[in-house]
Amino acid sequence: MRFLRLEDVAEELNVKLPQIRALIKSGELPAIQIGGRGVWRVEREKLEEYIQTRYAQAREEIDRES
């Protein structure tokens, strides 16, 4: 499946739906809106990129603390 519902993204990251909405609103997690009803979708590839970015940021933080 190429696109994920926000509920699926929240489950994948083990966070609450409002946290996903905040990530999208801030631009940290790219998403697209489909149709006029405000249905949002996150491309699986963009979610994986977000996760890899967060890992890199965590490594940088650990290195700074060392």
Side-chain angles (χ1 to χ4, degrees):
M1 190 175 344
R2 180 176 178 179
F3 290 96
L4 302 168
R5 298 176 312 133
L6 298 190
E7 294 83 2
D8 297 328
V9 175
E11 183 177 329
E12 186 88 16
L13 296 176
N14 196 28
V15 298
K16 302 280 185 196
L17 188 56
Q19 290 175 290
I20 299 303
R21 292 188 189 283
L23 289 172
I24 291 168
K25 187 175 181 178
S26 73
E28 213 174 325
L29 179 61
I32 58 172
Q33 194 171 20
I34 307 295
R37 295 181 132 189
V39 176
W40 287 90
R41 295 291 184 261
V42 175
E43 192 170 5
R44 180 171 291 283
E45 183 176 314
K46 297 297 182 188
L47 176 59
E48 292 302 326
E49 289 172 9
Y50 170 77
I51 292 168
Q52 292 307 313
T53 298
R54 296 300 296 158
Y55 273 123
Q57 290 171 342
R59 280 191 300 271
E60 289 174 12
E61 184 68 28
I62 290 168
D63 289 345
R64 274 192 295 246
E65 292 175 0
S66 299

